[in-house]
Amino acid sequence: MKVYADNAATTKLSKTALDAMMPYLTDTFGNASSLYDIGQQAHRGVKAARETVAEVINARADEVYFTSGGSEADNWAIKGVAEMMAKKGKKHIITSAFEHHAVLHTVKRLEELFGCEITYLPVYENGIVRPDDVKNAIRDDTALVTIMYANNEIGTIQPISEIGAICREKGVIFHTDAVQAVGHLPIDVKAQNIDMLSMSSHKFHGPKGIGALYIRKGIRIPNLIEGGAQESGRRAGTEAVYAMAGMAAALKEANENLESSMKKMTALRNRLIDGLLKIESSRLNGDRENRLPGNVNISFEGVEGESLLLYLDMKGVSASSGSACTSGSLDPSHVLLAIGLKHEVAHGSLRLTLCEDNTQEEIDYIIDCVPEIIERLRSMSPLWERIQKERGNV
Ligand SMILES: *Cc1c(COP(=O)(O)O)cnc(C)c1O
C-alpha cells in the first residue's frame, strides 16, 4: 500500500486546479499586460484569481498580492514593515519561538543588518502563544507582531483573533504566516483584525511556486520588486497566470468543502493519534484540541526519527520527522525544543499530516506498521536500553 501522509510539506495538485491551469499553459498564453484579445483573456484570468483568493479570506481584491509562495510573502511582509517602521524609529519585532524559518531567519537577518530587536514569545508545552504575553511584550517602539496561524510541525492553532484585537487596540501591525491554515480553517482577515497574511498554494492542492500576501488597505510597505506595473507596481514581473488560476481554483474548492473535510480529517486524525499512543513511551506533541484537523505529531522514546522514516518509506508510507526543511540536518526541530522536549526525545518524533483523500484503511495500515518498526528500532537502540535500565525494567 502507498500512503502519502506528508501534506504539511506539500499536497497533490487537485484535478480542478489542473483544469483551471491548462488554458493558460496552452492557447491563452498571452501576456496579461498586452491589449489584444489573448492578452486581455490572461488579464481577466489574473483578475478573477485575485478576486477568488480575496473572497475566501474576506479581503478586497486590491489587498491581495501574488508572490512566488509562502516564504516570499513572509519575507516581504516582515522586511517591508521593518523598513517602513525604522523610519519612525520603531525597531522592535515580536514573534514566537516556533515560527517557520521563513520568519525566524528573516527577523534574525533584520537584527544583524539593522539592529532590530526581536522578542521571541514562549509557546509553552501545549504549543500555543498566550495573548497576554503579546500584550505585555508590546512597547512604544514595537514595529510588528508576527505570529503564525497554525504551526507546520505540531499543528497547533494560535489565538489569532485575540492577538489581532490586542495589536489593533495598541496600533501595532499584525502579520500572520497562515500557510498551514488557508484552505484548512475558516479565516476572516477583517473580523480577526489581521493586517497582513501569508499563504501558499501548494499547501492546499494548488500548484507550487505561487502564493499571496494580503496587505490591508492603508498599509504602505515598500515594493518588493521594481519594474513593471504588475501587482499594482509592488511586485513587478510578468504574471504566471496559469499558477494564479490553479491556486484560486484549489482554494475555492478547499473552501467549499471546508466543513466536511475538517470533520472527516479530524476523525481520521483522532483515530491515528489514539492508535499510535497505544505504543509504550509515546507522547503527542502539541495541544490535542486546538490542532489542525490533519496533524499528528508523536514522539517515541529511544527511537531515531530518521530511521523510523526510512522503515516507513519501505512500507510505502511517506511521512516526516519534523519539517521537510530541517530533515537532513542533525539538529532537533526548533519547534519540538520550543515546547520543552529534550533533544533525545525530539529526535524520535514522527509527523503524519493528512488530507481529505486519506482513507480509514490507510490510517489503519499506518497504525499496523508503526509498532513493529518501533519495536525493531528499540531492540537495536543503546538509548532505549539505557532508558529501560534507568527505569529498572531490565
Ligand atoms: C510551507 C510553509 C512556508 C513556506 O511556503 P513556500 O510556499 O513553500 O515558500 C512558510 N510557512 C509555513 C508555516 C509553511 O508551512
Side-chain angles (χ1 to χ4, degrees), residues 207-227:
K208 294 172 182 52
I210 184 86
L213 178 63
Y214 154 77
I215 309 177
R216 184 168 64 81
K217 194 95 196 137
I219 295 180
R220 287 296 314 182
I221 61 167
N223 299 339
L224 180 66
I225 301 176
E226 308 297 341

Side-chain angles (χ1 to χ4, degrees), residues 380-392:
M380 308 183 290
S381 161
L383 175 62
W384 180 246
E385 200 182 318
R386 203 187 77 207
I387 294 169
Q388 292 303 97
K389 272 198 191 119
E390 279 165 12
R391 290 182 184 158

